[in-house]
Amino acid sequence: MTGPTSGNQVDDELTIKAVETTPVKIPMTTDFTISGGGQERPTHVLVRLRTEDGVIGLGEASPKPFFSAETAGSVVHAIDQIEQTLVGTDAGNLRAVHQIMADAINGNPFAKTAVDIACHDALGKQLGVPVSRLLGGRVRDAVEVGQSVGIKPTDEAVAEAETYAHVDGFGSIKVKVGDEPATAAERVRAIAGALDTETTVRVDANQGYTVDQAIPLFRQLEQDLDLLLVEQPVSRDDIDGMQAVTDALETPVLADESSFSPQDAYTVASRNAADILNIKIMKAGGLVPSQQIASTAVAAHLPVAVGSMVELGVGTAAGAHLAASLPNAVYPSDVKGPSLFTDTVLETPIDVSDGRTVVPTGPGLGVSLDKEKVEEYEETL
């Protein structure tokens, strides 16, 4: 006896034919500096994963040399190596794709993320459903996002924060710290004082302090201000230090750089080294491990936020689909990368307005590349 068939039935496999890369470079709207460094015009790597049946899956890597060991050049090289092992593989068999990538090359999470996103996009297009459906379905159609103010002179930082909150409508402002504690405290207080009481203020040290610096600084700030959270106060490897700061503060502490992988997330959670986990698909290595981090957080009764490595439209779409699918993503996310660039490579820009990123509804990621824009901003490495 045979089962029912459907006129809409699709082939079981999405056989990978090629994985192509295109580096692009778009100017940013503002200088963006954190404690580890900064980039005025980063280079992103766009990916087109082509299948034998003509489906094209889009991906993106947004490497930050001050954040990881990867550059645009290393991403292209890594994907070239990954492609050699993935050709002939089913792009829809996401677990197998990740195993093959792990066997092909060690590390390189940003490169692997670009391929992971492209596989999800291709599978969603084949099935005619958004990526959020592949991730379990969405619990929200738009994601609350905050805007970040980098390390800069206080008057410039205040003016930028006021524009983000009072003109652009962002309801949460992240203030980058990690510089000299007294200077950082002055900047945070000035920004908080310039915003209305409904706008939340977060601080992010990006590993910039020692425990002896972090505890007195953030204790004083939490006494003076109603901080939403303190992000990554000390070095990513200093789990004892993260635990000490978390224990010392009433304000929730978020682990970002300390939580790259599902294994890191387990360590942080089991050691009570943070109150919140930040999930960045780029550092995790894709949507598959990002979901594993989210599941670890659920098991540990921890909320999450979905972070960003300041992606362009393709990477932001992937982050938005992830954030839309996670019930425990209750803190403002950072999937608003396109708002920090002067232009887009998408045919239809992602809607980032009034403090929300609208999750695309079309099949796959729900976005498509503008060929002319890609050619305009293509970068020769």
Side-chain angles (χ1 to χ4, degrees), residues 36-92:
Q39 286 178 299
E40 294 182 6
R41 191 177 180 183
T43 300
H44 297 75
V45 179
L46 300 176
V47 164
R48 293 179 182 86
L49 183 147
R50 300 183 183 274
T51 73
E52 294 287 357
D53 292 334
V55 178
I56 297 177
L58 301 179
E60 179 190 333
S62 57
K64 301 291 180 290
F66 58 82
F67 193 89
S68 75
E70 291 173 271
T71 65
S74 74
V75 165
V76 170
H77 178 67
I79 292 176
D80 284 345
Q81 290 185 268
I82 289 169
E83 179 190 32
Q84 296 175 31
T85 62
L86 277 185
V87 169
T89 300
D90 177 11

Side-chain angles (χ1 to χ4, degrees), residues 144-344:
E144 181 187 359
V145 292
Q147 191 58 279
S148 299
V149 177
I151 296 174
K152 58 186 58 182
T154 297
D155 57 343
E156 295 179 22
V158 168
E160 191 170 304
E162 287 182 312
T163 298
Y164 290 147
H166 301 153
V167 178
D168 300 333
F170 287 95
S172 186
I173 301 298
K174 179 189 291 188
V175 185
K176 294 291 186 177
V177 295
D179 51 336
E180 200 279 321
T183 302
E186 176 192 10
R187 185 167 60 256
V188 175
R189 289 192 179 96
I191 288 175
L195 304 178
D196 59 57
T197 56
E198 295 181 356
T199 304
T200 61
V201 175
R202 304 172 282 165
V203 291
D204 182 6
N206 289 111
Q207 313 179 74
Y209 297 122
T210 64
V211 173
D212 291 340
Q213 291 173 315
I215 290 177
L217 169 62
F218 296 124
R219 271 182 172 168
Q220 187 60 56
L221 284 175
E222 72 177 4
Q223 289 174 13
D224 299 340
L225 306 171
D226 184 18
L227 296 178
L228 182 66
L229 59 85
V230 172
E231 184 169 345
Q232 198 63 45
V234 300
S235 171
R236 63 163 296 189
D237 297 320
D238 188 3
I239 301 301
D240 289 338
M242 286 289 292
Q243 182 182 27
V245 177
T246 299
D247 289 344
L249 299 182
E250 295 183 9
T251 303
V253 172
L254 180 148
D256 180 8
E257 286 91 339
S258 288
S259 182
F260 266 63
S261 65
Q263 294 79 9
D264 289 342
Y266 174 79
T267 298
V268 170
S270 64
R271 295 280 300 279
N272 296 316
D275 304 294
I276 313 162
L277 295 180
N278 200 24
I279 303 174
K280 290 180 177 175
I281 58 175
M282 291 291 160
K283 70 180 185 185
L287 291 165
V288 169
S290 292
Q291 282 194 298
Q292 293 169 342
I293 293 173
S295 296
T296 300
V298 169
H301 302 287
L302 294 180
V304 302
V306 176
S308 167
M309 293 308 300
V310 197
E311 295 92 352
L312 299 175
V314 174
T316 297
H321 281 284
L322 176 66
S325 72
L326 300 178
N328 58 333
V330 296
Y331 279 85
S333 293
D334 289 324
V335 288
K336 47 48 165 121
S339 67
L340 295 173
F341 293 90
T342 61
D343 206 348
T344 181

